[in-house]
């Protein structure tokens, strides 16, 4: 009986510790997944429309999984961890019954030993022998009653332990199966969402934006395939460029002519000054 209680105390205590740790890890995984969902939504808002919609829908599916995970945590706490915690009090109560039985049994043994000593020392003292026999009878009755109570207590304890170990892990498996079944359904939807994403649409949109951003430089090039009338209408047409170049050449020629005339005038004035100076001398 003591071994049964000791083993129950040892292993049910470990089950309780491990299942509590398992539940905490599941709750932490839920929290990390919630952060992932938030980051996915933030990232999707920075992307092109097609990817933004896909990431948003994918994040919503992941959020559903975390809702199921939250339900998993709550059910584990109620149906698995709480019953395991109750075994602490149940084992303590059973140990008290065993201790009570041991006390009654030891008292019975003590009274029997006392009776035997009296018979050996005073075999003719009927009064003392009678009193000792009375004490033995009382101790035996008490021990028998305590033994019967202990047997009933241990039978109930063992029956409850066997049923509980079955129910606890049945509930655990059921909770996990329910979560994974729901999660598989949601993950299947998430897979379909990601698989149906068309990257080409976002790529076309991206290329269009790049073309618009750099279109000024491409459009600035003169189109050699246009007609003469269209070229003449453009400010950067070949005819306007040639006309501008001719005007620039005329301006340069005029500037050169003016420069030559000014130089000739300066030379003439210098000659006259030298002639006047020589006459004066």
């Amino acid at each position: 009986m003591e071994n049964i209680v000791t083993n129950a105390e040892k292993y049910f205590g470990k089950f309780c510790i491990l299942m509590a740790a398992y539940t905490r890890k599941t709750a932490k995984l839920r929290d990390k997944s919630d952060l992932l969902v938030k980051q996915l939504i933030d990232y999707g808002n920075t992307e092109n429309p097609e990817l933004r919609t896909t990431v948003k829908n994918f994040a919503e599916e992941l959020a559903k999984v975390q809702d199921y995970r939250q339900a998993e945590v709550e059910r584990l706490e109620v149906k698995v961890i709480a019953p395991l915690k109750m075994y602490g009090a149940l084992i303590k109560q059973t140990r008290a019954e065993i201790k009570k039985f041991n006390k009654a049994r030891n008292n019975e043994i003590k009274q029997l030993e006392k009776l035997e000593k009296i018979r050996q020392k005073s075999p003719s003292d009927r009064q003392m022998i009678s009193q000792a026999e009375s004490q033995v009878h009382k101790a035996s009755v008490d021990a028998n009653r305590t033994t019967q109570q202990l047997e009933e207590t241990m039978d109930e304890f063992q029956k409850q332990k066997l049923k509980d170990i079955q129910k606890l892990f049945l509930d655990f498996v059921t909770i996990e199966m329910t979560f994974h079944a729901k999660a598989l359904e949601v993950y299947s939807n998430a897979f379909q969402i990601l698989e149906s994403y068309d990257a080409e649409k976002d790529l076309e949109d991206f290329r269009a934006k790049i073309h618009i951003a750099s279109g000024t430089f491409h459009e600035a090039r003169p189109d050699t395939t246009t007609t003469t009338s269209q070229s003449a209408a453009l400010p950067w047409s070949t005819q306007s460029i040639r006309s501008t170049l001719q005007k620039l050449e005329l301006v340069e020629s005029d500037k050169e002519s003016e420069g030559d005339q000014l130089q000739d005038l300066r030379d003439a004035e210098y000659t006259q000054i030298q002639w006047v100076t020589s006459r004066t001398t």
Side-chain angles (χ1 to χ4, degrees):
M1 291 180 182
E2 288 178 347
N3 288 337
I4 289 173
V5 175
T6 300
N7 288 335
E9 183 179 27
K10 175 182 177 181
Y11 289 104
F12 276 68
K14 288 184 177 180
F15 291 153
C16 185
I17 293 172
L18 291 173
M19 291 305 301
Y22 181 93
T23 305
R24 286 194 301 271
K25 291 290 185 182
T26 304
K28 288 181 180 180
L29 179 59
R30 173 206 60 202
D31 295 339
K32 294 297 183 182
S33 298
D34 286 338
L35 291 176
L36 175 60
V37 169
K38 183 178 181 301
Q39 291 300 315
L40 282 170
I41 294 175
D42 291 343
Y43 168 70
N45 291 332
T46 66
E47 282 293 343
N48 293 321
E50 191 72 17
L51 182 58
R52 180 167 60 249
T53 302
T54 299
V55 171
K56 180 181 177 182
N57 292 338
F58 174 63
E60 289 177 352
E61 296 301 315
L62 285 184
K64 291 179 184 178
V65 175
Q66 307 325 308
D67 292 338
Y68 292 132
R69 206 184 299 278
Q70 173 64 21
E72 176 193 12
V73 170
E74 293 175 354
R75 289 169 183 168
L76 286 173
E77 290 175 345
V78 172
K79 292 191 173 183
V80 179
I81 298 175
L84 284 171
K85 287 181 177 179
M86 292 175 59
Y87 262 82
L90 182 60
I91 289 172
K92 185 178 180 180
Q93 180 182 353
T94 306
R95 280 196 180 282
E97 290 294 327
I98 293 176
K99 185 178 181 180
K100 184 179 178 181
F101 163 78
N102 287 332
K103 183 179 180 180
R105 184 186 61 178
N106 291 335
N107 184 51
E108 181 184 18
I109 294 172
K110 181 181 179 181
Q111 294 301 325
L112 285 170
E113 291 175 347
K114 183 178 180 181
L115 174 62
E116 187 65 23
K117 287 180 181 179
I118 292 174
R119 284 175 177 174
Q120 290 177 359
K121 290 182 179 180
S122 306
S124 60
D125 191 347
R126 299 301 304 170
Q127 184 177 0
M128 290 185 65
I129 292 174
S130 177
Q131 289 179 353
E133 287 177 347
S134 176
Q135 292 295 327
V136 169
H137 177 71
K138 183 179 179 181
S140 296
V141 171
D142 186 48
N144 290 333
R145 186 183 69 252
T146 306
T147 300
Q148 184 178 359
Q149 290 177 350
L150 181 61
E151 287 177 355
E152 292 174 356
T153 300
M154 288 303 302
D155 183 77
E156 185 65 26
F157 176 82
Q158 185 70 359
K159 181 172 66 175
Q160 184 176 350
K161 185 191 75 173
L162 296 176
K163 287 183 177 180
D164 285 346
I165 197 71
Q166 179 188 30
K167 186 176 185 303
L168 285 171
F169 285 102
L170 275 176
D171 287 342
F172 170 73
V173 173
T174 302
I175 291 168
E176 292 299 302
M177 288 174 61
T178 302
F179 166 73
H180 287 290
K182 294 289 187 180
L184 180 60
E185 181 181 353
V186 176
Y187 280 132
S188 298
N189 293 336
F191 179 85
Q192 295 295 330
I193 290 171
L194 292 173
E195 191 177 38
S196 62
Y197 168 63
D198 187 3
E200 288 299 324
K201 291 183 179 180
D202 278 338
L203 189 59
E204 290 176 1
D205 183 67
F206 171 76
R207 287 171 177 168
K209 290 179 179 178
I210 294 297
H211 179 70
I212 291 172
S214 60
T216 305
F217 302 99
H218 293 293
E219 293 172 1
R221 297 177 182 175
D223 190 356
T224 56
T225 60
T226 55
T227 60
T228 305
S229 60
Q230 290 175 336
S231 297
L234 295 173
W236 53 78
S237 64
T238 304
Q239 291 181 1
S240 63
I241 292 173
R242 289 177 178 174
S243 176
T244 303
L245 290 174
Q246 290 175 357
K247 291 179 180 179
L248 289 173
E249 289 176 356
L250 290 174
V251 170
E252 291 292 334
S253 298
D254 292 340
K255 288 184 178 180
E256 290 178 358
S257 298
E258 291 178 358
D260 292 340
Q261 292 176 3
L262 183 59
Q263 186 65 36
D264 292 340
L265 180 59
R266 287 176 179 174
D267 291 341
E269 290 178 352
Y270 180 72
T271 303
Q272 290 180 1
I273 291 170
Q274 284 184 336
W275 182 76
V276 171
T277 302
S278 61
R279 289 281 308 266
T280 307
T281 307

